[in-house]
Amino acid sequence: MEGVTGLMGRAGLFKFMWKFPSAARMTQIALGKATPWSGLAFAAFLLYAAAALVATHGHPSAWMLEYGGSLPAAISHAAYGAPLGQYDTNVYAVFFDLNRTGVTAQSVERAVEEVARGTLSHGTTVIANEGIGAGQPLFMGFAAALFGPHLSSFTYLFLLLMAVSTIAFTARFSDDRLFMVPLTFAALSVMLLTPMIFDQVTLDEMPIGGNRYFGMLGVLPALHLFFDLREEPQDLSQKRAVATGAQVVLLVLVILVRSGSAYLLGLIALGALGRLRAIWSDRPRRSRFLREARRLLLIGVASLTIMVALVPDYLRYGRVFGHVWHRAFVSLALHPDWPFGNLREVYDCTKVIPQGLNRRNADDNGMCVWWAYPPNRARSPGELVEKVYGPEYQNLMRSTLLEVIRSYPRQALELYTYYKPLALWQTVRRGFEIEWRDASGPLLWLVAVQILLFLGFTVHDARARRSETAWRLGAIPILFVLSLPSQFLAWSSLHTGVEVVFYLYCLIGAALAFAVRALGRIKARKAI
C-alpha cells in the first residue's frame, strides 16, 4: 500500500483543487460568503476524509464485487487505452487467475501493480459484466485515469465527489439545515470503528468508493434537493442554481452506480409534492416551482444521457442499471429449506453447475435457472454468457421468483416475515459493534474530534432556538423507512445494509439534538 506521504503527495486529497478548477471555484464561493459555521461544517467532511484514508490505509480491501469486472476495466482504460467500461482480456486474465491462487486484499493489490505497468500485450476488449450496471466501471475508469491505476484512486475520487457535494450544500444553506452536514459525517466517522472496517469479509465486499458503499455519496444531494424543493427559496441566485445543479448530477451518478439508491428519489418526490400542495392555488408561485422542477429534471436527464453515452455498450446490452431481480431471486437461499420441493429437478443445471440449486453459493442459483431455461438449449455457450444480466435474463429471474412464491407460499411467507427481518436485525446489531480496540490512535483521535464538532453544532443549534429544526430533521426517519424495502427485496447483511445502519446512527444524533434542545428550553423556563 502507498504510505502516508503517498496519500498526501502525488495523488492525495490536497491535489484535488489543482485537478478540478470548478471544485476550487465552488470552494471560493462557499468560503467567501459563508458563516464560520459553514467552514466548520466543511471541516466535518475533512475529518471524515482523513479518517477514511487512515482506515483504508491500515485495512485494505480485496474489492470482491469489482475485481472481476470494473477493476480490470478501470486499469485497462488507464494503462492500455481500452474504452471506458471495457477490459482488455489479457488484463482480465491476471485478475481471473486470482480465483485459482486466492482472492485477498494483498493478491488484488499485487495484480493491480502488475497490470498497471502497461507491459502486457494487448488482447481484445470485452464489456465488464458483474451485473451492477454501467456506473461503477464508469466511475472507476475515470478515477484510474485521473489519479493513476491504483486501488487508492477510487477512494480519492469518491471523497472528492463527497467534497463537491459538501461544498454545494454549505454554499446553499447557512441556517439550521447546515446541521445535516456534521450529522452525516459524524455518523460515517463512527461507522469507521465498526466491523465495516475491521471484519475483513465485510470490508472486502464493501470498500469505501466501492459499489455497496457508494450510496453514502447520495445522502447530502438528496437532502439538498429535498430542502430546495420543499421550501420556497428566498433568492434565485446563480450560486443556488449551480449548487443545486451539481447535486442533481451527483445523485444521478450515485443511482447509476448503485441502483438500490433510487429510494433517495422518494424523499425528493415527497418534498416536491409537499410544496406543490402548499402553493397549488397560487398560480404565479406554482408556475415558478414547475419551471424550477423542469430545470432540475432536464439537468438530470442530460447528465444521465451523457454518462450512458460514455459507455454505450451497456445500453446496447440492456445493462445500464443493476440486476434487481437476480438479487431478489437468489435471496430465496436465505430460507433453510431452500431449494424448496423439487425445484432442483425442475431447474436442473448439474451438467454446468454440479451442485445445482444450493444455499452455499446463492449467486449460482440465478445462473442455474438461466442454463436450465428451455430456449437456451438452442444457443451457443458464448451467446448464453453474452446475455447474462441482460433484459431477457432479468425477465426470467422475475418470472421464476414469482412462480416460486406462488408454488411455495408457506416458505415465501416465512422468508419475508421471519428470515429476512432476522437478517436485518443481525445487520443492525453488527453495525453497532464499536471495535475501538482494533482502531489505530490517529483514527480514534479523528473520530473523537468529529464527535466533539458534532456536539458543538448540537449545542449551537439548541441555543439558536430555531423552530424549523424539528421538521427538517424528520427527513432522516423518512430516509430510514425508504431504505428498508431493498433489504427485503434482496437480502440484508452488513455490506448490503450500510444505509440502514447509517440512518440509525443519524437518528441517534438527531435524538441527541432534540434532547439538548429540550434541556435548553427547560433551563430557559427556570431562568424566567
Side-chain angles (χ1 to χ4, degrees):
M1 292 294 292
E2 296 179 6
V4 175
T5 302
L7 291 176
M8 299 304 179
R10 174 176 51 84
L13 279 178
F14 295 109
K15 199 174 180 181
F16 285 172
M17 295 307 177
W18 294 100
K19 281 189 173 286
F20 294 86
S22 60
R25 177 63 181 155
M26 287 183 68
T27 306
Q28 271 188 335
I29 294 173
L31 296 181
K33 299 183 180 180
T35 67
W37 288 99
S38 299
L40 288 173
F42 189 71
F45 160 73
L46 293 176
L47 285 169
Y48 164 71
L53 290 174
V54 169
T56 55
H57 174 65
H59 301 273
S61 170
W63 296 76
M64 289 294 293
L65 187 61
E66 298 84 4
Y67 89 94
S70 294
L71 180 54
I75 306 301
S76 297
H77 175 67
Y80 296 88
L84 277 168
Q86 298 184 31
Y87 57 70
D88 185 289
T89 51
N90 290 339
V91 172
Y92 176 77
V94 175
F95 289 93
F96 183 79
D97 192 52
L98 298 180
N99 295 316
R100 177 182 60 82
T101 60
V103 183
T104 65
Q106 293 71 31
S107 65
V108 170
E109 185 178 5
R110 286 194 297 270
V112 169
E113 291 175 353
E114 177 184 345
V115 300
R117 299 188 188 104
T119 56
L120 297 178
S121 59
H122 287 266
T124 58
T125 56
V126 178
I127 182 174
N129 186 25
E130 310 108 315
I132 56 179
Q136 191 68 37
L138 175 66
F139 165 79
M140 294 180 73
F142 267 112
L146 289 169
F147 298 110
H150 316 290
L151 288 176
S152 57
S153 298
F154 314 124
T155 304
Y156 291 156
L157 183 55
F158 177 83
L159 292 174
L160 169 68
L161 295 177
M162 193 167 273
V164 172
S165 178
T166 306
I167 292 168
F169 198 99
T170 56
R172 171 67 183 90
F173 304 112
S174 58
D175 54 14
D176 63 315
R177 289 171 286 193
L178 198 62
F179 180 77
M180 291 298 184
V181 175
L183 177 64
T184 295
F185 291 117
L188 289 175
S189 297
V190 172
M191 287 162 60
L192 296 174
L193 302 179
T194 69
M196 293 182 188
I197 294 295
F198 300 116
D199 178 69
Q200 192 62 47
V201 173
T202 301
L203 179 60
D204 287 345
E205 295 284 353
M206 189 189 67
I208 296 174
N211 181 267
R212 289 176 170 135
Y213 195 86
F214 214 85
M216 295 296 92
L217 175 60
V219 175
L220 283 181
L223 289 170
H224 185 133
L225 294 170
F226 169 72
F227 291 139
D228 239 7
L229 291 174
R230 180 64 182 85
E231 303 178 51
E232 199 161 3
Q234 300 301 313
D235 68 310
L236 297 174
S237 65
Q238 184 181 4
K239 182 180 75 171
R240 172 183 174 273
V242 171
T244 305
Q247 300 287 34
V248 172
V249 175
L250 287 174
L251 187 60
V252 168
L253 175 63
V254 168
I255 295 174
L256 189 61
V257 171
R258 180 75 172 156
S259 299
S261 294
Y263 72 89
L264 294 168
L265 297 176
L267 178 70
I268 298 168
L270 287 174
L273 290 173
R275 181 168 156 202
L276 195 58
R277 180 183 177 186
I279 64 172
W280 186 258
S281 59
D282 189 327
R283 186 172 181 178
R285 294 168 66 196
R286 186 179 72 220
S287 298
R288 188 163 57 248
F289 167 74
L290 292 176
R291 284 196 302 271
E292 179 186 357
R294 183 170 63 247
R295 180 184 71 87
L296 296 178
L297 182 61
L298 288 174
I299 292 173
V301 171
S303 301
L304 180 61
T305 302
I306 292 171
M307 291 177 194
V308 174
L310 291 172
V311 282
D313 284 340
Y314 285 83
L315 182 62
R316 175 186 171 193
Y317 290 106
R319 297 172 184 166
V320 172
F321 296 102
H323 50 268
V324 175
W325 293 108
H326 169 85
R327 296 167 187 160
F329 175 73
V330 302
S331 72
L332 294 171
L334 284 175
H335 196 291
D337 293 341
W338 176 262
F340 310 140
N342 67 337
L343 289 179
R344 195 188 298 272
E345 289 73 38
V346 172
Y347 303 105
D348 184 10
C349 62
T350 52
K351 291 182 179 179
V352 181
I353 304 173
Q355 67 269 32
L357 292 178
N358 67 95
R359 291 195 70 209
R360 185 171 183 180
N361 298 308
D363 269 336
D364 289 347
N365 294 330
M367 300 299 173
C368 186
V369 171
W370 177 244
W371 283 98
Y373 183 44
N376 283 338
R377 294 169 186 166
R379 292 170 173 165
S380 66
E383 189 179 1
L384 286 177
V385 172
E386 184 180 271
K387 290 180 177 292
V388 168
Y389 300 138
E392 187 178 4
Y393 178 93
Q394 288 301 314
N395 291 336
L396 176 62
M397 292 302 106
R398 182 180 66 249
S399 61
T400 304
L401 171 67
L402 296 177
E403 179 60 33
V404 170
I405 291 174
R406 282 194 296 264
S407 301
Y408 299 92
R410 177 182 62 81
Q411 290 91 334
L413 183 64
E414 292 171 350
L415 177 68
Y416 290 101
T417 62
Y418 177 73
Y419 291 108
K420 288 197 175 187
L422 179 62
L424 178 59
W425 162 248
Q426 292 170 344
T427 296
V428 172
R429 180 181 57 80
R430 291 201 66 210
F432 278 80
E433 293 175 359
I434 304 298
E435 301 180 352
W436 60 271
R437 290 184 180 85
D438 295 326
S440 65
L443 179 58
L444 286 173
W445 275 107
L446 287 166
V447 174
V449 175
Q450 183 77 271
I451 292 172
L452 289 174
L453 181 59
F454 169 72
L455 292 175
F457 264 89
T458 301
V459 173
H460 170 72
D461 246 31
R463 295 179 69 178
R465 301 181 185 177
R466 291 163 170 164
S467 58
E468 299 91 351
T469 302
W471 80 260
R472 285 168 174 168
L473 282 174
I476 300 301
I478 293 174
L479 284 172
F480 171 70
V481 172
L482 291 174
S483 70
L484 291 176
S486 64
Q487 304 298 298
F488 288 86
L489 180 61
W491 67 93
S492 184
S493 63
L494 195 54
H495 58 268
T496 62
V498 59
E499 293 93 346
V500 173
V501 175
F502 167 76
Y503 292 128
L504 285 174
Y505 274 110
C506 286
L507 284 172
I508 292 173
L512 177 62
F514 279 123
V516 172
R517 189 179 178 84
L519 286 173
R521 280 200 296 263
I522 292 171
K523 284 187 176 182
R525 287 171 187 167
K526 286 182 178 180
I528 294 172

